[in-house]
Amino acid sequence: MKKALAIALVALVALSGVFAGGAQESAAPAASDNLIVVGYAQVGAESDWRTANTQSFKSTFTEANGYRLIFDDAQQKQENQIKAIRSFIQQDVDYIVVAPVVETGWETVLKEAKDAGIPVILSDRMMDVSDPSLYTCWVGGNFIKEGEDAGKWLIDYLKKQGRSNEKINIVTLQGTIGASAQIGRTEGFGNIVKTQPNWNMLAMQTGEFTQAKGQEVMESFLKSYPDIDVVVAENDNMAFGAIDAIKAAGKTCGPNGDIIIISFDAVAAAFDSMIAGDMNVSVECNPLHGPRVAEIIQKLEKGETVDKIQYVVEEVFDTSMDLPAVKATRLY
Ligand code: AHR
């Protein structure tokens, strides 16, 4: 719970508009409240997945649920996240939650949080630190497994199409280089590529997890490589951009088209894209981490121990399924 001094400091910071590098949102606290104060250093707003993740935190960490959330949007910049964490430390929050933009470069600021006695919970993406005691725990998707699931799906799909022995030309639109979701999906899909001698990875380039950049990189892939069989987009928004580029180039994609589209996240718009016949498959990455992090905080409040690494169970969705029925059961 917040101390009186810390409450006064939060109020001062909120009122003076002295915020961290990103766009920080917080209501000025009442001096007598008993809320648990959580600072969330979010990556940005680069994708539908990220929007769903932000919404999950904002709808979980409410005053009605006993929390005050200080939310910072780092606009995909690590330096903004570091500034946000320092601002949370200065405000003496009860917990810091970080979805790190990239894995490396966090030791110094995590040490500052540890010295201040503030637990740091990692959500979604991981940090690569030499001292694991610098953070309390991590919860998120298994990105290597997601990449491997995508590769296994392609083996199975080509088999059903009678194309197992054909030469298959692949391009990959990678996420933000150095982000766990990029590292894991690239590695996982690469593990399966190694087992298929007839698969040929023509090119891999970052599309920064955004639709606009995904479209731009796909346009250049199409100019350089006239015979692409498969696009692996490391998130749905880059896949949407790639689909636009493919159509603009006069080609087709999806189950009845020239190019197979493999994607990740399984957001609502990906279901629409599969139902429309543009995308073949989306490997789920579940963004609803707000309640999971709240459960961790509640355990810590009671002095209970929590598992250091907590993977979320995820599925694979493709056009062989009753997608409208599945979509109707989903929350994002
Ligand atoms: O870290 C999760 C990834 O980040 C999601 O796949 C992507 O859409 C987001 O930007």
Side-chain angles (χ1 to χ4, degrees), residues 36-332:
I36 298 171
V37 180
V38 176
Y40 183 29
Q42 173 63 291
V43 170
E46 72 283 2
S47 63
D48 289 18
W49 188 101
R50 192 62 55 195
T51 303
N53 178 259
T54 292
Q55 186 49 35
S56 176
F57 275 83
K58 287 187 175 177
S59 60
T60 302
F61 291 95
T62 61
E63 296 207 359
N65 288 341
Y67 299 98
R68 170 163 297 105
L69 178 67
I70 308 174
F71 178 86
D72 188 278
D73 175 338
Q75 296 159 22
Q76 294 232 69
K77 292 195 176 81
Q78 182 180 32
E79 71 253 33
N80 285 346
Q81 284 195 310
I82 290 173
K83 281 184 201 157
I85 294 168
R86 290 203 167 117
S87 156
F88 298 153
I89 295 169
Q90 191 192 18
Q91 294 174 65
D92 195 19
V93 301
D94 296 304
Y95 295 90
I96 293 172
V97 183
V98 190
V101 176
V102 291
E103 290 195 347
T104 55
W106 300 102
E107 310 262 350
T108 304
V109 76
L110 286 197
K111 179 96 177 31
E112 290 166 26
K114 189 176 180 184
D115 290 347
I118 303 173
V120 174
I121 297 167
L122 306 183
S123 170
D124 167 30
R125 300 178 187 174
M126 179 48 98
M127 289 182 186
D128 182 6
V129 286
S130 55
D131 175 4
S133 77
L134 289 175
Y135 64 91
T136 303
C137 63
W138 168 88
V139 61
N142 185 335
F143 299 119
I144 295 176
K145 180 177 180 301
E146 290 173 11
E148 289 175 344
D149 284 349
K152 288 176 188 165
W153 176 88
L154 184 58
I155 291 177
D156 194 46
Y157 184 77
L158 293 171
K159 197 169 166 189
K160 285 181 188 145
Q161 303 283 309
R163 298 178 66 188
S164 291
N165 298 318
E166 248 179 55
K167 183 175 180 197
I168 301 295
N169 288 324
I170 307 170
V171 293
T172 298
L173 294 164
Q174 294 175 292
T176 304
I177 300 299
S180 303
Q182 176 275 314
I183 294 170
R185 289 169 189 165
T186 300
E187 182 183 330
F189 192 79
N191 290 342
I192 304 300
V193 171
K194 281 185 216 149
T195 69
Q196 304 300 304
N198 55 320
W199 291 11
N200 178 27
M201 185 62 74
L202 294 169
M204 295 200 279
Q205 195 178 319
T206 183
E208 304 287 358
F209 284 127
T210 70
Q211 184 158 341
K213 189 80 181 159
Q215 180 168 351
E216 186 187 310
V217 175
M218 190 66 213
E219 283 164 3
S220 92
F221 281 165
L222 287 162
K223 283 181 193 139
S224 305
Y225 308 103
D227 192 18
I228 296 169
D229 297 299
V230 178
V231 174
V232 178
E234 289 182 354
N235 82 344
D236 286 333
N237 288 81
M238 291 191 295
F240 304 149
I243 290 165
D244 288 345
I246 289 166
K247 289 182 178 177
K251 298 199 174 213
T252 57
C253 54
N256 299 312
D258 307 319
I259 300 177
I260 297 166
I261 306 289
I262 297 176
S263 184
F264 296 87
D265 285 355
V267 296
F271 278 78
D272 295 337
S273 181
M274 287 188 278
I275 291 164
D278 292 331
M279 184 185 285
N280 293 73
V281 61
S282 190
V283 178
E284 183 181 31
C285 179
N286 191 303
L288 307 180
H289 296 318
R292 297 181 184 114
V293 171
E295 195 183 321
I296 288 167
I297 288 175
Q298 287 305 320
K299 283 187 178 167
L300 294 172
E301 286 289 301
K302 288 182 204 140
E304 295 174 15
T305 52
V306 294
D307 289 340
K308 188 87 180 176
I309 300 292
Q310 303 183 27
Y311 287 115
V312 176
V313 176
E314 294 166 330
E315 296 178 57
V316 177
F317 301 101
D318 75 3
T319 54
S320 70
M321 299 170 162
D322 181 356
L323 292 172
V326 178
K327 187 186 170 201
T329 65
R330 291 172 63 75
L331 299 173
Y332 63 95

